Amino acid sequence: MKAEVNNVVATVDLRCKIKLHKAAGMTPAEGQVKYIPEQFPGVIVKIKKPKVTILVFSTGKLVVTGAKTVEMIQKGVEVISELLREAGHNIAHKATITVQNIVASGTLGKRINLELAALLLEHTMYEPEQFPGLIYRMQEPKVVLLLFQSGKLVCTGAKKEEYIYQSLQKIDTILKEIDAFEGEFAGF
């Protein structure tokens, strides 16, 4: 069993208004800024260190995506706050960061009988003609697992990284209990 975080998404409140035309003039050392108000009501900032994309809105709210860790989110917020200061904004307060979603991919290391799992587990949806995976809405921790016959999975909706590992342990135990594993699977 193993998992790797692919994306951390967070919302941020800078607790101040942002003049988007000023923000559009930001010049990150490495990265790019895009502002096309007819297409999107915010400034899109892509920075390379850390490698994240930040959506900046006039309300002072941000959405940060593309991070692999919460620390990358925090560093990205520091970078964008400094860029906004340089563009003439008074970013005085410490930003409030709220992790909204952590997405991870992983493997249980064994093939899964999805038909059996769909039959015996509550909170599942399995329509193989529409999507090849079983969608399992785990109640505790509150995450959604996309389970594939190969044993690979995607975990989404986690608010903390530890929830990913807890959900993998739990689904492994549950699938063993209902005898839904078909055998060993080598590789990730």
Side-chain angles (χ1 to χ4, degrees), residues 40-53:
F40 185 73
V43 176
I44 302 167
V45 182
K46 293 184 178 196
I47 55 178
K48 297 237 170 124
K49 289 184 183 175
K51 189 174 184 203
V52 295
T53 298

Side-chain angles (χ1 to χ4, degrees), residues 1 4 13-14 19 80 82 89 92 120 122 149 152 169:
M1 245 187 340
E4 174 185 338
D13 188 352
L14 296 175
K19 291 185 171 56
I80 195 71
E82 187 54 38
H89 291 90
L120 298 177
E122 292 183 17
Q149 187 176 18
K152 292 184 181 181
Q169 284 292 150

